[in-house]
Amino acid sequence: MMPGMNTEACDPAELAALREIFASRPDAAPPAGWEAVRAFEAEHGVELPEPYRTFVAEVCDGLRAGPPHYGLLPLAETPSDWGAGRPERLLAEPFPLTAAWLWEEDEEADEDEAAFEARTAAVFDHGSLLLGTDGCGMYWHLIVTGPQRGHVWQIAGEGAMPFGPESPDALMPGTPGFAGWAAHWVQGRDWFPDA
């Protein structure tokens, strides 16, 4: 967890902001409820980070309008383009990264193909919950286990990078965490302002 982020207790101001963003939208899915959230957590051996945990239980469990571009997924769902035959997602396994990794530009990524695929598979499938997709293989993940718990990351075929300025590379500046990510989206701001 990064300094300043509280992933254990839901900040009332963050929850109020999330309610304002999502609850009044006509295509917002009803909240999942606490029973469904606790069942999901028990099944996967994790406790979801706040404020996402309370948001899904009390405010909204998905929104077709986004964020991201193709909608905020309901708890436990994967995007339609995620693909069949993928390995089981292991949410209780720690997310392996603490800083951006653009493997497309990484000279070490020229290791043997099996080792490289094992390293990237862990990035896609360990310690994160899928929030949705912007299409073209660009997926947004909420990290649920490991040092980046509570942060939102974009993971794509080119690499993985955190959203928020507290990362050392700040490729996607904004307020870190689920509430900051949602606020960034509702303000219509670009994810990559210098692109």
Side-chain angles (χ1 to χ4, degrees):
M1 180 174 78
M2 297 295 249
M5 280 184 62
N6 184 351
T7 60
E8 305 307 314
C10 188
D11 179 329
E14 285 185 334
L15 188 59
L18 289 167
R19 279 188 203 284
E20 186 174 318
I21 292 169
F22 292 95
S24 64
R25 294 183 179 264
D27 59 343
W34 283 107
E35 186 176 325
V37 168
R38 289 184 184 108
F40 176 86
E41 291 174 333
E43 177 184 346
H44 294 282
V46 298
E47 183 173 306
L48 297 173
E50 292 291 358
Y52 178 80
R53 183 176 196 250
T54 300
F55 166 78
V56 169
E58 298 182 2
V59 178
C60 173
D61 187 21
L63 179 68
R64 284 191 311 261
H69 184 75
Y70 289 100
L72 180 64
L73 291 169
L75 183 63
E77 286 194 16
T78 55
S80 60
D81 67 345
W82 187 246
R86 291 184 70 125
E88 178 184 359
R89 296 187 42 71
L90 303 173
L91 277 62
E93 289 292 320
F95 182 70
L97 301 179
T98 56
W101 177 29
L102 301 176
W103 49 77
E104 196 173 66
E105 299 173 5
D106 187 353
E107 292 175 15
E108 291 179 30
D110 290 334
E111 63 195 311
D112 91 36
E113 191 172 327
F116 175 74
E117 286 182 17
R119 285 179 59 204
T120 57
V123 173
F124 278 96
D125 295 320
H126 290 182
S128 69
L129 176 79
L130 281 155
L131 295 173
T133 180
D134 278 329
C136 299
M138 295 183 291
Y139 302 101
W140 290 96
H141 295 243
L142 174 65
I143 308 308
V144 298
T145 312
Q148 287 288 299
R149 185 174 189 274
H151 284 267
V152 175
W153 281 60
Q154 185 187 73
I155 305 173
E158 300 79 24
M161 63 193 76
F163 170 79
E166 293 176 346
S167 66
D169 29 34
L171 298 172
M172 289 188 285
T175 303
F178 179 74
W181 179 75
H184 193 93
W185 168 76
V186 81
Q187 293 165 5
R189 296 167 57 197
D190 288 334
W191 298 117
F192 300 97
D194 296 330

